[in-house]
Amino acid sequence: NDEHAKQTKNVLNVNLNFANNDAKKFITNKFTVDLQWNDVLMDIAHNMYQIEQDAAMPKCKFSDNFQIILRRGQKSYSFNTYNAYMRHPHSLTAGDAHQSVTSSAYFNHTHTSLGIYLNPFTISMEVGVQALNRFLESQLVGIADSSELQNDIRMTFARVYASPSAELNKGGWHITFKVPISLTPYIFNDHRADEKQTTNKAQISPNLRVSYHFSPRLQSTISGGIRQKTVDEQNFFNGLIMSDYQNLYRGFVDFTTDQSRHILLDFDYKRPLAMFFINGFVSKDWTDSHLTTERNFSGDYIVNSYSEQKSKSEFLMVGGRISKGISFMSGLISVNYSYIHSDGTMQQLGTETNYTSESHTWGAKFNGRPARWFNFVYQLTAAKSLMSLATADLESSTTDLSQKLTLNFYPIERWQIKLIGDHFRNQISDNQHKNLYLADLSSSYTFSNGVELSLTALNLFDQRTYGYTNESLLRTSKEYQLRARMIMASVYLHF
């Protein structure tokens, strides 16, 4: 598909912060208002059809975070409470289909902790409460599907938890053992179906972490544990919801929770005087799930959901980074690599399908200051993703590349010129790639009295749209929020 998108985004942020810190206490409070008005108009050209998609996505969020820490000798006490209210009234039109969705939620997380240090042990306990009250109303018209096309639901839970932990720090060893325990009552109301469901969930997730310092240069850590996943209440709805011109999502109401096991081994080696650093890790996860992802077709749409079928999946991740300083130009060069392999099961057209996915990511970063008046940073990231379906004997792959170059010039003292260039290259079919080039230029001068004058030109090439969808086993949709070319003059006062 060839997609062209125009996005209009307006953002208003308000932050009010208060902080007080002394030898015995630390108090802070942050109140935040986040208002956004986002509109996206997209034209999709396919070899069989052409469609226009228009989405309006305003949202608002009000939050307050209060924290206090009291210190008394070998003891410390903390109290934290976070409150947030969010509302998202969205609308989406794609061809003949139209959808309106209004979601709102109130969330609270209040917790307190007490720690006691008894050399070489530290014993602590955190207790808290999490509460959520979420509403969802939606209506979808213009599609030929016999399923429920409306939602009117309310989801509420109140989680009480305690997390005791013990730490040992002695002789190069650092051992931490945590046992989080929680009890969560859930209440789900479907007002259209006049149904109410309630349940209680008790969970425990022990975790052990062991670190050892072989020397001041070499450290290694091994950790592992059992995770009890919480109920995925975000998917609690019964009617269809449209995410774009091609995809519908069917929710599910299921209070069953899944379990996973994980283990991680990493190491870190450093020689600061030689400016040489190396680290690496390997992790493995095993997940037992009672649900299997499901994908079916309804007319021109893909219907994504889950089916009640037990499955197992495995996830392997290996990665590392090597960095070396370059003294003659006061720089640093680093390379990194990560590999991800996962095996799982999905339902497609009623058939159980085993799949394997792999991804390789390579990265490099080079920065330096070859002269007093000049420094630079170059970053490169390349990725390749592969996916195969064993039962269907199908394979697909995608590649992505991104580059960023930042140049800083200082012709004279207090005068800075900065040039930034970006390049994105994405594969959208076997023999087709899409490229995007961006560039910004800025210049600033700071006077001795603290006044700074700045002139900035953003998006020199005036790139307005960049979006595409790769239709394959690895269905990938990309949408970059591009700003139009803009020239901005600013005055700052430093004191």
Side-chain angles (χ1 to χ4, degrees):
N1 291 353
D2 188 16
E3 299 180 357
H4 298 276
K6 178 182 180 181
Q7 180 173 28
T8 303
K9 185 173 183 179
N10 300 280
V11 179
L12 174 62
N13 291 319
V14 178
N15 294 301
L16 299 175
N17 299 302
F18 168 80
N20 182 25
N21 190 19
D22 57 38
K24 293 185 177 181
K25 65 181 182 299
F26 172 73
I27 302 174
T28 180
N29 190 85
K30 182 178 181 180
F31 177 76
T32 302
V33 178
D34 182 9
L35 304 178
Q36 297 187 23
W37 299 264
N38 302 326
D39 297 305
V40 180
L41 181 62
M42 182 179 295
D43 291 315
I44 302 100
H46 191 270
N47 55 6
M48 297 180 62
Y49 61 83
Q50 185 166 352
I51 194 170
E52 183 178 271
Q53 176 176 291
D54 187 6
M57 299 176 291
K59 63 180 182 179
C60 67
K61 180 180 179 180
F62 303 89
S63 64
D64 185 80
N65 192 359
F66 173 79
Q67 181 183 20
I68 181 171
I69 300 175
L70 302 178
R71 311 176 185 95
R72 295 291 185 273
Q74 301 296 319
K75 299 180 182 180
S76 65
Y77 168 80
S78 71
F79 175 83
N80 183 279
T81 181
Y82 174 79
N83 293 273
Y85 174 77
M86 296 152 281
R87 180 176 173 83
H88 300 167
H90 293 177
S91 66
L92 175 64
T93 300
D96 297 328
H98 176 76
Q99 176 181 256
S100 60
V101 178
T102 299
S103 62
S104 62
Y106 168 74
F107 177 75
N108 170 268
H109 183 194
T110 300
H111 58 97
T112 182
S113 64
L114 175 66
I116 301 176
Y117 177 66
L118 303 171
N119 188 28
F121 295 97
T122 301
I123 300 173
S124 63
M125 169 70 80
E126 179 182 334
V127 295
V129 177
Q130 293 179 339
L132 174 73
N133 193 17
R134 181 173 66 88
F135 296 87
L136 172 66
E137 294 181 359
S138 71
Q139 184 171 9
L140 176 60
V141 297
I143 68 170
D145 194 287
S146 58
S147 303
E148 177 63 62
L149 302 181
Q150 298 183 51
N151 289 287
D152 186 2
I153 65 99
R154 176 182 177 181
M155 181 68 194
T156 304
F157 73 75
R159 177 177 298 119
V160 181
Y161 70 89
S163 181
S165 69
E167 296 183 34
L168 169 66
N169 196 352
K170 184 178 181 180
W173 291 95
H174 188 187
I175 303 173
T176 305
F177 182 59
K178 295 183 178 181
V179 189
I181 305 170
S182 66
L183 175 64
T184 310
Y186 292 91
I187 303 175
F188 173 74
N189 289 276
D190 188 332
H191 299 296
R192 289 190 55 81
D194 195 22
E195 293 179 356
K196 180 178 180 180
Q197 300 184 45
T198 62
T199 191
N200 298 313
K201 289 290 179 181
Q203 296 179 309
I204 181 171
S205 302
N207 183 78
L208 176 66
R209 184 177 186 271
V210 180
S211 297
Y212 184 70
H213 290 263
F214 295 92
S215 70
R217 295 178 178 177
L218 178 62
Q219 173 190 352
S220 183
T221 301
I222 184 170
S223 62
I226 299 174
R227 297 190 188 102
Q228 296 283 342
K229 295 186 177 180
T230 58
V231 172
D232 192 2
E233 53 82 21
Q234 289 290 329
N235 289 308
F236 275 39
F237 58 91
N238 291 311
L240 290 176
I241 289 183
M242 181 171 61
S243 64
D244 57 36
Y245 67 95
Q246 208 167 31
N247 282 271
L248 301 172
Y249 285 84
R250 177 179 288 113
F252 63 96
V253 180
D254 191 330
F255 292 96
T256 306
T257 56
D258 298 323
Q259 177 180 283
S260 66
R261 303 167 302 282
H262 64 94
I263 187 169
L264 168 68
L265 174 65
D266 64 30
F267 74 92
D268 183 67
Y269 178 78
K270 57 186 178 182
R271 296 182 61 188
L273 295 180
M275 295 186 293
F276 179 73
F277 308 88
I278 181 171
N279 58 70
F281 68 91
V282 56
S283 67
K284 186 72 180 272
D285 287 66
W286 300 264
T287 300
D288 299 322
S289 177
H290 72 289
L291 296 174
T292 300
T293 55
E294 185 176 51
R295 186 170 62 178
N296 296 301
F297 294 92
S298 176
D300 296 329
Y301 295 94
I302 302 172
V303 181
N304 302 273
S305 187
Y306 294 87
S307 61
E308 292 191 22
Q309 181 171 340
K310 292 184 177 180
S311 64
K312 296 180 180 294
S313 62
E314 296 184 6
F315 181 89
L316 172 67
M317 187 172 184
V318 181
R321 178 188 299 271
I322 300 176
S323 303
K324 181 66 175 72
I326 304 174
S327 57
F328 72 89
M329 67 167 55
S330 301
L332 182 74
I333 183 169
S334 65
V335 294
N336 63 80
Y337 168 77
S338 65
Y339 168 76
I340 299 175
H341 178 99
S342 64
D343 297 298
T345 303
M346 66 181 297
Q347 288 281 330
Q348 185 159 286
L349 298 176
T351 302
E352 181 178 315
T353 303
N354 296 321
Y355 68 86
T356 297
S357 67
E358 294 183 350
S359 69
H360 303 263
T361 304
W362 301 267
K365 184 176 181 179
F366 181 31
N367 64 69
R369 189 183 182 93
R372 180 194 58 80
W373 51 268
F374 171 66
N375 65 65
F376 67 91
V377 180
Y378 173 72
Q379 296 172 274
L380 170 69
T381 302
K384 182 174 184 179
S385 302
L386 305 96
M387 184 173 184
S388 62
L389 302 181
T391 54
D393 193 25
L394 295 174
E395 292 185 353
S396 66
S397 65
T398 62
T399 59
D400 299 290
L401 175 71
S402 65
Q403 302 179 79
K404 183 173 184 177
L405 178 62
T406 302
L407 305 176
N408 291 297
F409 300 91
Y410 303 87
I412 60 175
E413 187 180 1
R414 298 176 183 165
W415 182 20
Q416 178 186 10
I417 300 174
K418 175 183 286 190
L419 176 63
I420 302 176
D422 293 279
H423 171 226
F424 302 92
R425 177 178 173 85
N426 307 103
Q427 179 184 350
I428 57 177
S429 66
D430 289 342
N431 299 307
Q432 186 178 5
H433 295 79
K434 197 164 187 178
N435 291 279
L436 173 69
Y437 298 92
L438 298 172
D440 301 330
L441 178 63
S442 66
S443 179
S444 64
Y445 184 84
T446 303
F447 295 90
S448 58
N449 60 2
V451 176
E452 178 185 342
L453 302 180
S454 174
L455 184 65
T456 303
L458 302 176
N459 195 2
L460 295 176
F461 303 139
D462 200 23
Q463 298 278 12
R464 298 296 185 94
T465 60
Y466 186 70
Y468 67 88
T469 298
N470 172 29
E471 295 295 346
S472 65
L473 296 177
L474 293 165
R475 186 184 191 277
T476 304
S477 294
K478 295 288 186 181
E479 179 184 329
Y480 292 94
Q481 301 177 4
L482 305 182
R483 70 281 192 215
R485 180 191 294 145
M486 179 174 64
I487 298 177
M488 179 171 58
S490 307
V491 179
Y492 301 94
L493 178 61
H494 302 279
F495 57 90

